[in-house]
Each structure stands twice: as structure tokens, then as C-alpha cells.
Amino acid sequence: DRSKLFSFNAQSPENGDDHLREYDPTAQQKQHHLVVIGGGAAGFMGAIEAANVIADNSKLKVSILEATSNPLNKVKISGGGRCNVMQDATKSARLITEGYPRGRKPLIGLLESFGPSQTYQWFDNHGVQLKTEPDGRMFPITDKSQTIIDCLRQLADTHSIAVETRTRVEDIRVVQEEKEGGAGMLDDD
């Protein structure tokens, strides 16, 4: 089994950084960095879950890079400002994917491992109660998307996840491969 370290260039004019800067994990000897690209709901949930898994590893920093100035902006406007979190938690992955003919096969596996019932439970575990409307759409009981945004933001803060806005990833390169039980090797590319 091999793990890979990646380097990437990101541009962030908001931070007074009009030029590309390089994130190089090999340059940080004492601390590793997990970077999630995209500050939408999936990016936040992924970063939060990663931070949960590695909570006992103080050498790993988690960051979210968002190209726009407004992370979670699509959450804000979803469902007319109420945030349509998901479909009815009782629907199977196969039934849900019938609405996605071109991406059905990959979605089935994803939804079977983390589908509506797991999403419902995740939000419930983090203090957000959801309700199901007659058409099967689920919303926070507050009918406000800000409830979901506040939940995700608070969890990111709790886990000290840095959120860098207006930071667009321009490219990603493999800079080192590490073999199991061995030292890393720099790529010649």
C-alpha cells in the first residue's frame, strides 16, 4: 500500500496574495496538513469527519480552501433559504438514484455507505432536528438554512479547522510517494 503526498498551488487575493503560493507537505516536518478543496456542505462535512477521526493526532492540521468569498453560500440559498438537506430518510439508495440516470452507478455505492438515514443521524447527533415534508424533502425544523450553516461552522471551529476563502487551487502535483515501512522518495517529474 502506498500513500502519496501532494503539493498544490493556490491563489488568494483576499489575503493580499495576488500570486500563486505553494502548499508543500514535505516542507512541514513536524506537522502534516489535510486540505479539503471546496467550502460547501460536503467539504465542511468531510473536513469535520476527518478531524473527528484524527482528533488524537495533534500533528495533523485540517483546512478548507474555498474559491469564493462565501463558504456554504449554496447552503444559504438551498430550498428557498430553508436548506433542503436531503430526501426522506426512509428511501433506499436505489430509489433515490433513479433520478440520476447518468451518475446512478457511482451514487448507489456512495448513498449505501452514507445515505439519507446516516445524514439524518449525523445532523441529529450534532443538535439539528430535521422534518420531512409531504413531498419527501427534508429541512431543519427551524425552516432556516442558517441552522445548517451554524452547525457546520461551529463544528469546524470546535475542531480548529481553518477556512481560507477566495483561495482557488490552480494545480495539484504528487511530490512524494511513501512506501509502507520505508522512507519517502521525491518524484523526478
Side-chain angles (χ1 to χ4, degrees), residues 5-185:
L5 296 177
F6 295 90
S7 170
F8 57 92
N9 290 325
Q11 191 169 15
S12 180
E14 179 179 88
N15 300 326
D17 187 7
D18 289 332
H19 61 283
L20 291 176
R21 62 189 158 137
E22 186 168 341
Y23 288 81
D24 185 353
T26 61
Q28 295 183 11
Q29 302 271 333
K30 295 182 180 179
Q31 186 176 36
H32 291 79
H33 200 151
L34 173 72
V35 177
V36 175
I37 301 171
F44 268 78
M45 286 181 76
I48 291 162
E49 285 306 298
N52 277 333
V53 169
I54 52 93
D56 60 340
N57 185 347
S58 61
K59 292 183 179 183
L60 184 62
K61 178 183 175 187
V62 179
S63 295
I64 298 171
L65 303 182
E66 168 58 31
T68 71
S69 59
N70 297 315
L72 301 169
N73 191 46
K74 289 183 182 175
V75 172
K76 183 85 173 159
I77 61 174
S78 169
R82 298 189 305 146
C83 189
N84 180 7
V85 176
M86 61 182 188
Q87 289 296 314
D88 184 347
T90 63
K91 290 183 180 175
S92 72
R94 295 198 182 276
L95 180 61
I96 292 169
T97 58
E98 286 178 8
Y100 301 91
R102 289 180 291 193
R104 185 170 193 265
K105 285 184 182 180
L107 282 176
I108 289 173
L110 292 171
L111 289 172
E112 285 177 347
S113 64
F114 197 89
S117 61
Q118 291 88 351
T119 304
Y120 180 90
Q121 191 62 52
W122 192 91
F123 278 106
D124 190 57
N125 290 344
H126 294 97
V128 176
Q129 295 179 329
L130 302 173
K131 64 178 182 174
T132 306
E133 300 213 335
D135 63 1
R137 294 179 301 158
M138 296 190 76
F139 295 90
I141 60 168
T142 61
D143 277 330
K144 295 179 182 173
S145 59
Q146 195 63 46
T147 302
I148 302 299
I149 293 168
D150 291 346
C151 172
L152 295 171
R153 285 282 198 175
Q154 185 218 0
L155 289 166
D157 289 346
T158 297
H159 291 291
S160 301
I161 297 169
V163 180
E164 295 188 39
T165 60
R166 296 190 63 202
T167 302
R168 181 179 314 278
V169 174
E170 299 291 334
D171 68 13
I172 300 174
R173 303 177 303 284
V174 176
V175 293
Q176 184 179 46
E177 288 191 22
E178 192 170 312
K179 296 179 183 176
E180 187 177 351
M185 298 172 14

